[in-house]
Amino acid sequence: MLKILPQQFYQNPEVKKILVDGLSCVIHKELAGPVFHKEGYVSTHAITLVLNGTMRIENDGGFLTHVSETQMVFLPKDLYMISDIIPDQGSFEAVVFFFDEQLIADFINSINLKTAKEKCVTHITLDYSKEIRIFTESLLQVYNKKELTHRNLTRIKLFELLHLISSHQQGNCFLTALATLNNKERRSLREFMNANFSKPLTIEDYAYLTGRSLSSFRRDFIEQFGVSPKQWLIEKRLEKAQELLSLNHTNVSTVALETGYENTSHFVKAFHKRYGISPKQFLMKKRKEVLV
């Protein structure tokens, strides 16, 4: 199941919330066993620091990044990723910093960062400098207590981390990425939906990720597309499934997953209802047409 971050962390009692202020937060997570092929959607900019173990991150374009122990990776907003978490000596530990767009904008303005025209890479791997190590260790020691709340400190500590990163060797690359992202025009509803219709997201997820309430999302959607979000998603996903099957994708379960269906039987029923034939029958029909 696709996880929207950091919201999913807020709902997980096993993940420690060190500092939280809306979508800006610091999360500390520890895992005893490996996790493979975990789907995630980053709803706001993030930096993951791996303290123990290894993390592999692949975006939807197939770009793969390995994040080793004492390395950090910058993950921009709207990143769809598939990750593998591999413990070392029985455990995996990481600290994840999330920055809402306003905080990033305020930081860019505070250092008078010029507009960047360079293309932003999907995710940047950063070194774990001595200063950032001291910052992180202090953060965990002082604020890692459940009985304390530190909402007002969240912005201050995240600002501090951004300054520490920008002052080191990879700072220019990192700042260029921030400026590029900050100057991107807000994507339209149509662009967002066309880019993400095949993700296993709910209508509520789409509403949230496009910055709308559920009612305003449905209203805006019908105005732009002429049908309800549910009707449009079914049609788009089944069109994509038909295209994949026509290309001789033989595994129906894989096609279901690639078109946003986590339940294969639901996919089969929807496909049959739309086209009057099961995905398997459709595939066999296409094979016969090729042989004729």
Side-chain angles (χ1 to χ4, degrees):
M1 182 179 179
L2 183 64
K3 308 294 185 183
I4 299 179
L5 307 175
Q7 292 86 333
Q8 184 62 34
F9 288 146
Y10 292 170
Q11 300 168 10
N12 188 342
E14 296 180 359
V15 174
K16 294 181 181 178
K17 276 67 76 172
I18 308 300
L19 298 170
V20 177
D21 183 11
L23 288 181
S24 293
C25 60
V26 181
I27 301 296
H28 181 214
K29 64 176 183 177
E30 297 178 272
L31 297 172
V35 177
F36 296 105
H37 206 72
K38 184 177 182 180
E39 293 183 278
Y41 189 96
V42 183
S43 68
T44 193
H45 308 307
I47 293 173
T48 295
L49 163 61
V50 176
L51 296 175
N52 193 60
T54 305
M55 187 176 185
R56 290 194 297 254
I57 299 172
E58 182 179 356
N59 69 2
D60 52 3
F63 183 78
L64 182 65
T65 297
H66 291 261
V67 189
S68 303
E69 183 176 322
T70 65
Q71 277 191 321
M72 303 186 297
V73 61
F74 172 63
L75 307 172
K77 178 184 177 180
D78 294 336
L79 173 67
Y80 168 76
M81 64 180 184
I82 298 174
S83 61
D84 298 327
I85 294 174
I86 305 167
D88 181 31
Q89 296 182 350
S91 68
F92 174 86
E93 182 181 6
V95 180
V96 190
F97 306 89
F98 289 93
F99 310 81
D100 66 28
E101 288 185 282
Q102 187 59 55
L103 192 152
I104 293 291
D106 291 344
F107 172 73
I108 288 173
N109 291 334
S110 74
I111 60 174
N112 296 316
L113 185 61
K114 303 298 182 183
T115 300
K117 296 181 180 179
E118 293 88 346
K119 185 178 180 180
C120 177
V121 298
T122 303
H123 31 278
I124 304 169
T125 304
L126 305 164
D127 291 331
Y128 188 40
S129 68
K130 177 183 177 182
E131 291 80 4
I132 295 176
R133 177 180 59 79
I134 294 171
F135 167 83
T136 305
E137 290 177 353
S138 172
L139 195 67
L140 294 177
Q141 289 173 8
V142 175
Y143 301 109
N144 198 3
K145 297 178 182 179
K146 290 183 178 179
E147 66 272 16
L148 299 178
T149 57
H150 312 284
R151 177 176 178 177
N152 294 335
L153 291 170
T154 305
R155 179 184 175 87
I156 296 171
K157 302 308 289 186
L158 290 175
F159 249 74
E160 183 179 352
L161 176 61
L162 292 174
H163 277 287
L164 289 173
I165 294 173
S166 63
S167 65
H168 280 274
Q169 184 176 359
Q170 295 163 299
N172 288 336
C173 180
F174 176 68
L175 290 175
T176 296
L178 287 185
T180 304
L181 290 164
N182 191 56
N183 285 285
K184 285 174 66 177
E185 294 183 3
R186 186 187 177 203
R187 280 188 297 178
S188 70
L189 178 61
R190 184 175 295 276
E191 289 173 342
F192 184 86
M193 294 305 297
N194 282 326
N196 294 283
F197 71 86
S198 61
K199 306 292 191 304
L201 296 165
T202 65
I203 302 299
E204 290 77 9
D205 292 334
Y206 284 114
Y208 175 81
L209 292 171
T210 56
R212 294 166 171 83
S213 67
L214 185 57
S215 59
S216 63
F217 173 76
R218 284 176 170 149
R219 183 189 64 245
D220 293 348
F221 195 99
I222 292 172
E223 286 179 359
Q224 292 194 37
F225 292 91
V227 295
S228 71
K230 183 178 180 180
Q231 289 174 293
W232 185 87
L233 282 169
I234 290 173
E235 189 65 24
K236 288 288 288 186
R237 288 171 175 175
L238 292 178
E239 285 178 3
K240 180 68 174 178
Q242 187 186 51
E243 177 186 337
L244 291 173
L245 291 168
S246 297
L247 294 173
N248 204 28
H249 284 238
T250 57
N251 191 321
V252 172
S253 297
T254 300
V255 171
L257 289 173
E258 290 183 6
T259 53
Y261 285 90
E262 295 182 297
N263 187 305
T264 303
S265 64
H266 289 171
F267 164 67
V268 172
K269 289 178 182 177
F271 192 94
H272 190 277
K273 183 177 180 180
R274 173 64 178 82
Y275 297 108
I277 189 174
S278 73
K280 195 69 175 179
Q281 290 170 328
F282 179 85
L283 184 61
M284 292 173 65
K285 179 182 176 182
K286 286 294 177 181
R287 284 178 180 169
K288 289 180 180 178
E289 289 175 357
V290 171
L291 294 174
V292 174

